[in-house]
Amino acid sequence: MSLDAEIECIEAEKIVKGNPHKVITDDGEYYAKAIIIATGTKHRLLGLDREEEFIGNGISFCAVCDGAFYQGKTVAVIGGGNSALQEAILLSETSKKVYIVQNLDFLTGEQKLQDIISAKENIEVILGTVVKEFKGDNELNAIVVSDSSKTYEISVDGVFTAIGLIPQNEIFSDVINLDERGYADSDESCLTNSDGIFVAGDCRKKNIRQVATAASDGAIAALAACSFIG
């Protein structure tokens, strides 16, 4: 901003490849020789009624961010992978009770994390069970779950969902190559299969998704875009 970059708060809807490329938005069209896609990811949801309504009112995605709100309270973590187990371990340090609800009959996280979970007296693992409903008035106060034999309700003060991320690349699938999970393929300069179209951050296919690597991608993509423009 200090360098007088022009910022438009609008939504990109489509890229049409060309020379220059055309970006169609909800407020007109823009043309550019180089484009950097840095759309990131969003948290995967269960797709249940009222789920989005409870986000911020009982449903969270980050124990580091929101765990303190549930000190001395009961929470449920949905998922069974590394992220879910790490969330549960962190929450167990301050919460009275932590439920881990996993739809599979086993946890998929690393054994070391599972061992830590097993040693925690205030963590209860519920396997082979799916969440069917979120309940509460203005704030979440219970979840309805179902296994192979019964459906029942668990009283909770909060839920932490950890069932994966969805890259925000779908609208660009006709101009850049995506892997089977929807992440963008690129080379070491963050260049995609389309000349002049670069990707940076969590939407890119890579092994580590952290702020440090996203910032690195941004610098690499920006310099590469400048070089491409010449």
Side-chain angles (χ1 to χ4, degrees):
M1 293 177 70
S2 66
L3 296 174
D4 296 326
E6 185 176 345
I7 299 174
E8 298 285 352
C9 295
I10 54 181
E11 183 175 353
E13 298 177 337
K14 184 179 179 65
I15 292 176
V16 179
K17 288 198 296 185
N19 188 21
H21 302 299
K22 178 169 66 174
V23 181
I24 301 172
T25 78
D26 61 356
D27 188 32
E29 299 177 353
Y30 293 78
Y31 294 84
K33 292 183 178 180
I35 296 171
I36 299 173
I37 297 171
T39 46
T41 61
K42 69 177 181 180
H43 294 282
R44 189 181 301 278
L45 301 178
L46 294 171
L48 300 176
D49 290 342
R50 302 188 68 194
E51 185 172 15
E52 294 193 15
E53 174 188 338
F54 283 124
I55 294 175
N57 295 304
I59 294 179
S60 180
F61 305 96
C62 176
V64 173
C65 311
D66 299 330
F69 293 117
Y70 300 98
Q71 184 170 354
K73 297 183 178 181
T74 299
V75 297
V77 176
I78 311 303
N82 284 344
S83 295
L85 303 190
Q86 289 165 352
E87 295 279 280
I89 291 168
L90 182 58
L91 289 164
S92 71
E93 299 298 326
T94 54
S95 297
K96 178 178 66 175
K97 177 77 173 183
V98 179
Y99 293 100
I100 297 176
V101 183
Q102 163 73 317
N103 62 329
L104 301 176
D105 292 326
F106 53 89
L107 297 175
T108 58
E110 296 174 1
Q111 187 60 50
K112 182 178 179 180
L113 295 174
Q114 294 189 40
D115 293 341
I116 296 173
I117 294 290
S118 297
K120 295 278 188 177
E121 294 184 358
N122 62 336
I123 296 180
E124 180 178 341
V125 179
I126 305 174
L127 299 174
T129 300
V130 296
V131 178
K132 305 291 288 186
E133 183 182 354
F134 294 111
K135 300 186 71 173
D137 294 325
N138 295 325
E139 294 189 0
L140 180 74
N141 59 33
I143 55 175
V144 177
V145 300
S146 180
D147 59 23
S148 59
S149 61
K150 61 185 180 301
T151 298
Y152 57 99
E153 184 175 307
I154 302 174
S155 296
V156 295
D157 299 296
V159 165
F160 288 78
T161 305
I163 56 173
L165 300 170
I166 302 175
Q168 300 298 279
N169 294 324
E170 185 176 355
I171 63 172
F172 310 121
S173 61
D174 57 339
V175 294
I176 61 174
N177 289 336
L178 306 179
D179 70 6
E180 66 280 0
R181 296 189 297 163
Y183 290 98
D185 284 321
S186 63
D187 63 17
E188 66 277 0
S189 68
C190 294
L191 176 66
T192 68
N193 59 293
S194 295
D195 284 345
I197 300 181
F198 303 83
V199 288
D202 284 1
C203 66
R204 187 169 79 89
K205 181 180 179 181
K206 56 184 185 176
N207 294 326
I208 301 173
R209 290 186 173 82
Q210 298 287 343
V211 172
T213 62
S216 173
D217 285 350
I220 292 169
L223 292 172
C226 288
S227 296
F228 179 82
I229 293 171

